[in-house]
Amino acid sequence: MKYTEEHEWLREEDGVYVVGITAHAAEQLGDVVFVELPEVGTTVSKDDEIVVIESVKAASDILSPLDGEVVEVNEAIVDEPTKVNEDAEGEAWFFKIKASDTSPLADYMDEAGYKKFIG
């Protein structure tokens, strides 16, 4: 698993990257009340705003960590946004992306690096 400084995680599954936000980010947001996901088939570039997430504290945009095509989204968190707070790094993934460029992965942190990053 890799982590970005924007508190996203990425996990590779059969050549596709599953993306979500970290438990730390979910905790910082507070109770998530709304999630808007991209359309399947959307082509994105790294750092494109791809997901809108709203909590009782704030609204945030989630950026695409890679260039590629969105191949699946997690509709379950649209229906139940609280899943993001309950299992941010498990069942509450946001989207899956088929990357056209994986070079940014070299800059992302491993778990130990992320834990150090958040202190």
Side-chain angles (χ1 to χ4, degrees):
M1 192 131 77
K2 293 284 192 173
Y3 298 86
T4 72
E5 290 185 0
E6 289 75 34
H7 307 285
E8 298 165 355
W9 58 262
L10 301 86
R11 179 180 63 232
E12 191 210 354
E13 291 181 356
D14 300 324
V16 171
Y17 290 87
V18 183
V19 180
I21 62 169
T22 66
H24 173 78
E27 184 181 317
Q28 296 298 309
L29 282 168
D31 294 337
V32 174
V33 295
F34 175 80
V35 177
E36 182 180 311
L37 298 172
E39 296 287 326
V40 171
T42 302
T43 300
V44 296
S45 297
K46 181 182 178 303
D47 295 334
D48 281 355
E49 295 173 355
I50 188 169
V51 173
V52 175
I53 184 168
E54 292 180 14
S55 71
V56 293
K57 290 183 179 175
S60 301
D61 293 317
I62 305 301
L63 308 179
S64 178
L66 299 169
D67 294 348
E69 178 184 352
V70 176
V71 295
E72 188 176 344
V73 296
N74 187 357
E75 294 289 348
I77 61 170
V78 173
D79 297 336
E80 288 185 67
T82 56
K83 284 181 181 258
V84 176
N85 298 107
E86 296 165 2
D87 194 12
E89 297 184 28
E91 288 186 31
W93 55 275
F94 285 17
F95 58 90
K96 295 182 180 181
I97 187 168
K98 185 167 181 61
S100 59
D101 177 12
T102 58
S103 62
L105 290 170
D107 297 330
Y108 295 152
M109 296 171 273
D110 60 12
E111 185 175 359
Y114 182 71
K115 284 184 176 176
K116 186 175 179 181
F117 175 72
I118 61 174

